[in-house]
């Protein structure tokens, strides 16, 4: 039998992938999407749509995701397909934030302090980096700022240095990518310190 016969129509599989992204509690990778499709198809009859979905490739899933993103943008439904660190999710567009805050009774958005943003920029561009190295760049103690960034899940410990005392090394998180609208850390190509957060999310602290 020709493998092409087993492939689902774009519209039907696109609907399933869209439903998975909408129902997921966290962003899904293309591998995770394919695993779900394969699992459902394992015990399905040979001629079923479920079985045909299990034969989908990663490249085909990527194409469907691109189509979903383009359709959402064209339809102007207030939703967008977001990609961070190779994982995908459906989200509301940042421009809808004032109405969503009213709906959810959320407090007005506030910004990171200059000190916090400078510290975060240093970590983003020089990761993995120790606290002592951050302080050597900023010239001041960053204990409070690093703790706050950890609590906000914008940075995380990624290991320990080989220097005496084995200090922790810090790097950014997937939440950092989400807040700054980045697909991956490689998109940080502008000058250090020029990070612009999404207007609807980051809290303020000193």
């Amino acid at each position: 039998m020709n493998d092409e016969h087993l492939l689902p129509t774009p519209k039907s599989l696109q609907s399933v992938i869209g439903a998975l992204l909408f129902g997921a509690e966290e962003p899904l990778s293309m591998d995770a999407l394919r695993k779900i499709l394969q699992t459902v198809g394992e015990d399905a009859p040979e001629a079923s749509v479920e079985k045909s979905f299990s034969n989908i490739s990663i490249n085909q899933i990527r194409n469907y995701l691109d189509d979903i993103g383009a359709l959402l943008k064209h339809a102007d439904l207030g939703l967008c397909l977001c990609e961070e660190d190779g994982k995908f999710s459906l989200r509301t567009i940042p421009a809808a934030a004032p109405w969503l805050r009213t709906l959810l009774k959320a407090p007005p958005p506030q910004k990171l302090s200059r000190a916090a943003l400078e510290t975060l920029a240093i970590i983003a561009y020089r990761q993995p980096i120790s606290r002592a190295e951050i302080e050597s760049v900023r010239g001041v103690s960053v204990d409070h700022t690093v703790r706050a960034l950890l609590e906000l899940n914008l940075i995380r410990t990624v290991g320990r240095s080989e220097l005496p005392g084995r200090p922790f090394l810090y790097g950014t998180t997937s939440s950092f990518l989400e807040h700054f609208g980045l697909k991956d850390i490689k998109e940080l190509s502008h000058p250090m310190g020029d990070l612009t957060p999404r207007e609807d999310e980051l809290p303020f602290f000193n």
Side-chain angles (χ1 to χ4, degrees), residues 52-82:
S52 68
F53 286 175
S54 66
N55 293 285
I56 208 69
S57 70
I58 288 294
N59 286 339
Q60 287 171 312
I61 290 176
R62 172 84 250 189
N63 289 336
Y64 283 119
L65 289 167
D66 289 343
D67 288 344
I68 289 171
L71 283 170
L72 288 173
K73 185 175 182 180
H74 178 73
D76 194 23
L77 294 174
L79 299 173
C80 60
L81 179 69
C82 294

Side-chain angles (χ1 to χ4, degrees), residues 18-37:
L20 290 172
L21 294 173
F22 180 81
E25 294 183 353
E26 57 186 24
L28 297 173
S29 67
M30 290 186 286
D31 283 334
L33 287 166
R34 185 170 65 168
K35 179 63 176 177
I36 293 168
L37 296 170

Side-chain angles (χ1 to χ4, degrees), residues 79-193:
L79 299 173
C80 60
L81 179 69
C82 294
E83 178 185 355
E84 289 103 23
D85 207 16
K87 295 184 178 181
F88 299 83
S89 61
L90 293 181
R91 299 212 183 106
T92 55
I93 59 173
W99 293 273
L100 286 169
R101 284 196 297 272
T102 299
L103 172 67
L104 301 174
K105 298 180 174 58
Q110 295 176 303
K111 297 180 179 180
L112 287 170
S113 68
R114 182 178 179 83
L117 194 56
E118 287 177 357
T119 300
L120 186 57
I122 292 167
I123 295 171
Y125 282 93
R126 301 195 180 188
Q127 59 185 308
I129 186 171
S130 68
R131 189 171 309 194
E133 290 171 319
I134 300 168
E135 291 176 346
S136 71
V137 175
R138 290 208 60 221
V140 296
S141 173
V142 296
D143 285 353
H144 170 73
T145 305
V146 166
R147 283 198 303 270
L149 291 172
L150 286 167
E151 290 173 1
L152 290 170
N153 196 33
L154 293 174
I155 64 170
R156 64 189 177 95
T157 56
V158 296
R160 286 182 177 271
S161 171
E162 295 300 321
L163 295 174
R166 304 284 315 275
F168 285 115
L169 296 173
Y170 299 98
T172 53
T173 64
S174 58
S175 292
F176 167 85
L177 297 176
E178 175 185 342
H179 287 312
F180 289 92
L182 303 171
K183 288 184 180 181
D184 56 55
I185 203 66
K186 295 178 182 178
E187 289 194 343
L188 282 177
S189 58
H190 43 68
M192 191 172 72

Side-chain angles (χ1 to χ4, degrees), residues 8-15 64 67:
T9 62
K11 184 176 180 181
S12 60
L13 183 53
Q14 185 170 286
S15 298
Y64 283 119
D67 288 344

